[in-house]
Amino acid sequence: MRLVIARCSVDYAGRLTAHLPSAPRLILVKADGSVSIHADDRAYKPLNWMSPPCTLKESVDGEAVENGAAAVWTVINKAGEKLIITMEEILHDSSHELGVDPGLIKDGVEAHLQELLADRIETLGEGWTLVRREYPTAIGPVDILCRDADGATVAVEIKRRGEIDGVEQLTRYLELLNRDPHLAPVKGIFAAQEIKPQARVLATDRGIDCVVLDYDALRGIEDDKLRLF
Amino acid sequence: MRLVIARCSVDYAGRLTAHLPSAPRLILVKADGSVSIHADDRAYKPLNWMSPPCTLKESVDGEAVENGAAAVWTVINKAGEKLIITMEEILHDSSHELGVDPGLIKDGVEAHLQELLADRIETLGEGWTLVRREYPTAIGPVDILCRDADGATVAVEIKRRGEIDGVEQLTRYLELLNRDPHLAPVKGIFAAQEIKPQARVLATDRGIDCVVLDYDALRGIEDDKLRLF
DNA sequence: TGATCAATATCGCAG
DNA sequence: CTGCGATGTTGATCA
């Protein structure tokens, strides 16, 4: 990893064109080949960057002097996108060996919601039974297919954040499922940890019920169940 | 901006919980208060971070030694999310004054595409006329409303990359607009610099025409127009 | 402040 | 390689 602090201007020509006027910035070159240019704000987001695979070409002293610059770096990738960093003054330049990172261990994410709800399908209503998770259809798997206390089929779409897209998706599934005489009529339930007002309106308008999932409660129930054994 | 290279382990407790085993990493502290932890890969994305506003508390020497660490940093925000960085060995530590950045100048984004197409609505067909950009509806503004050579109303949805969501969005607009007897029947056009195959299939199935926009050509036409004056 | 929408989104997985 | 969903998405704009 190489850290350069330099007063520089930057030009990017690729999926869009962009320009950065001259100012002091951090240029971060990682061992993966990536180059990112950071200001002293915008949190972790760089002003501009090039993702690997790409190649970095540093100007030799002569070239840079011709441009009146201390150095000119050209970063280019296979798609022909180009990042040109013109450094007028280099304030710091150091390199560090970091080695391969063991990586992040995450917990408490989204994939659990489906498992948890499938294991506790009674959360949706007493006497409800699971048909299966990831019920396959021609346009993709339905998160959960189950039956209510009367034996009527219910398709459940699960999201962490319930937005309008999710309602559209569930609508497409319902339309398809309702063509199957073995299943029809199929009701829909839109379940999420948080449901946006517009999504709720659209769902309700289409006769889809909304359920707000409480992750901690579901997990708590799970923990209770586990504790019994 | 402060740059620290240290062998460290990291724990995050917030919207999820995450842990990073000990390894050498870059810890980047910006003037905006943000802290990000970078490995030597993953391009510009940090392994873990805390966004401002947040406060950084560095351990005093005594505390750190008690834990057998060179230093322990605790970063906390108003929501109570917490990032704990335990540094076992500090390999580099430097600070740099960068000042306020003038910021990025972008070109070629969606807003610009909309302007260009509105100014050259004949690109869609001879004799076509603009009604207005950002035509307001109850569910949001339609990018462009125009009329074809026969005076029929056409709603245009513009995207940089045309995906299935954009087609859904346009479909909703069309459904609504077609309820207005002054406008109906309203046709749809899905315009983007790049249209994904699935989006094209869905659009075609719904009777929506697809148009691939050539940004350079549109801008070229604009430049020609400007050059005339 | 909250909702909505775009992004050089990034990233991972499955088909 | 493409599509699709999730993200501690982030960031900007507008009410």
Side-chain angles (χ1 to χ4, degrees):
Chain A
M1 181 176 287
R2 183 172 173 191
L3 308 172
V4 176
I5 305 270
R7 193 157 48 81
C8 63
S9 60
V10 181
D11 287 279
Y12 169 75
R15 276 165 281 187
L16 54 67
T17 58
H19 174 75
L20 281 170
S22 178
R25 301 188 177 96
L26 164 69
I27 297 114
L28 180 60
V29 185
K30 288 192 175 184
D32 63 3
S34 65
V35 178
S36 25
I37 295 140
H38 282 267
D40 219 342
D41 58 359
R42 282 152 228 252
Y44 71 75
K45 188 120 203 246
L47 292 161
N48 218 325
W49 70 91
M50 185 72 80
S51 298
C54 61
T55 56
L56 166 60
K57 190 175 138 301
E58 290 185 58
S59 61
V60 293
D61 288 345
E63 293 173 339
V65 169
E66 277 178 42
N67 299 320
V72 178
W73 289 13
T74 307
V75 190
I76 192 163
N77 69 5
K78 256 203 287 210
E81 296 172 353
K82 205 184 279 189
L83 190 68
I84 298 162
I85 308 167
T86 306
M87 301 182 193
E88 291 143 27
E89 189 184 5
I90 294 168
L91 305 162
H92 173 97
D93 189 346
S94 66
S95 293
H96 311 267
E97 287 298 321
L98 299 190
V100 177
D101 200 279
L104 193 67
I105 300 151
K106 284 186 187 180
D107 189 17
V109 245
E110 186 42 48
H112 298 175
L113 272 179
Q114 202 194 90
E115 279 173 56
L116 290 172
L117 186 59
D119 280 356
R120 250 326 209 184
I121 199 71
E122 320 90 272
T123 306
L124 298 179
E126 218 181 298
W128 287 42
T129 53
L130 179 70
V131 176
R132 71 164 289 185
R133 294 207 282 135
E134 302 285 344
Y135 182 89
T137 77
I139 55 172
V142 176
D143 286 341
I144 287 180
L145 201 73
C146 57
R147 292 188 185 279
D148 66 16
D150 302 324
T153 310
V154 183
V156 186
E157 177 65 33
I158 299 172
K159 292 274 181 252
R160 197 180 61 84
R161 285 165 55 198
E163 300 185 15
I164 212 157
D165 288 4
V167 181
E168 296 286 13
Q169 191 183 353
L170 179 53
T171 304
R172 289 197 295 271
Y173 287 139
L174 287 171
E175 197 195 321
L176 198 71
L177 292 172
N178 272 310
R179 290 184 199 163
D180 183 342
H182 295 293
L183 295 175
V186 183
K187 287 194 302 181
I189 285 193
F190 191 55
Q193 281 185 285
E194 180 200 349
I195 295 178
K196 292 295 177 80
Q198 286 211 348
R200 184 180 292 273
V201 168
L202 185 64
T204 306
D205 182 60
R206 295 185 178 169
I208 293 167
D209 286 336
C210 291
V211 171
V212 175
L213 298 174
D214 184 330
Y215 180 77
D216 289 328
L218 278 172
R219 190 167 47 180
I221 290 164
E222 267 308 295
D223 289 348
D224 290 345
K225 268 176 100 177
L226 288 172
R227 230 170 273 139
L228 294 175
F229 296 95
Chain B
M1 181 177 285
R2 182 171 174 191
L3 307 172
V4 176
I5 305 272
R7 192 156 50 81
C8 62
S9 59
V10 182
D11 287 280
Y12 168 76
R15 276 166 278 187
L16 55 70
T17 58
H19 174 75
L20 281 170
S22 178
R25 301 189 177 97
L26 165 68
I27 298 118
L28 179 59
V29 185
K30 287 192 176 184
D32 64 3
S34 65
V35 178
S36 25
I37 295 138
H38 283 268
D40 220 342
D41 59 359
R42 281 152 231 249
Y44 72 76
K45 186 117 203 248
L47 291 162
N48 219 324
W49 69 93
M50 185 71 80
S51 298
C54 62
T55 55
L56 165 60
K57 190 174 139 299
E58 290 185 58
S59 62
V60 293
D61 288 345
E63 292 172 340
V65 168
E66 277 177 43
N67 299 319
V72 178
W73 290 11
T74 307
V75 191
I76 192 162
N77 69 5
K78 255 200 292 206
E81 294 172 355
K82 206 184 279 191
L83 190 68
I84 297 161
I85 308 167
T86 307
M87 301 182 194
E88 292 143 27
E89 189 184 5
I90 295 168
L91 305 162
H92 172 98
D93 189 346
S94 65
S95 292
H96 311 267
E97 287 299 320
L98 298 190
V100 177
D101 200 280
L104 193 67
I105 300 153
K106 284 185 186 181
D107 192 12
V109 272
E110 188 193 283
H112 199 190
L113 275 178
Q114 197 192 96
E115 280 174 53
L116 289 172
L117 186 59
D119 281 357
R120 247 331 206 179
I121 199 71
E122 320 91 272
T123 306
L124 298 178
E126 219 180 299
W128 288 42
T129 54
L130 180 69
V131 175
R132 72 163 288 184
R133 295 207 283 135
E134 301 286 343
Y135 182 90
T137 78
I139 55 172
V142 177
D143 286 341
I144 287 179
L145 201 73
C146 57
R147 292 189 185 278
D148 67 14
D150 303 323
T153 310
V154 182
V156 185
E157 176 66 31
I158 299 171
K159 291 275 181 248
R160 199 178 57 81
R161 285 167 58 199
E163 302 186 14
I164 213 157
D165 288 5
V167 181
E168 296 286 13
Q169 192 182 353
L170 179 53
T171 304
R172 289 197 296 272
Y173 288 140
L174 288 171
E175 198 193 321
L176 199 70
L177 293 172
N178 272 311
R179 291 184 197 164
D180 183 343
H182 296 293
L183 295 175
V186 183
K187 286 194 302 180
I189 286 193
F190 191 56
Q193 280 186 287
E194 180 200 348
I195 295 177
K196 293 293 179 81
Q198 286 213 348
R200 184 180 292 274
V201 168
L202 185 63
T204 306
D205 183 61
R206 294 185 178 170
I208 292 167
D209 286 336
C210 291
V211 172
V212 174
L213 299 174
D214 184 329
Y215 178 75
D216 290 328
L218 279 171
R219 189 167 49 179
I221 288 165
E222 268 308 296
D223 289 348
D224 290 347
K225 268 176 103 178
L226 289 172
R227 230 171 273 138
L228 296 174
F229 297 95

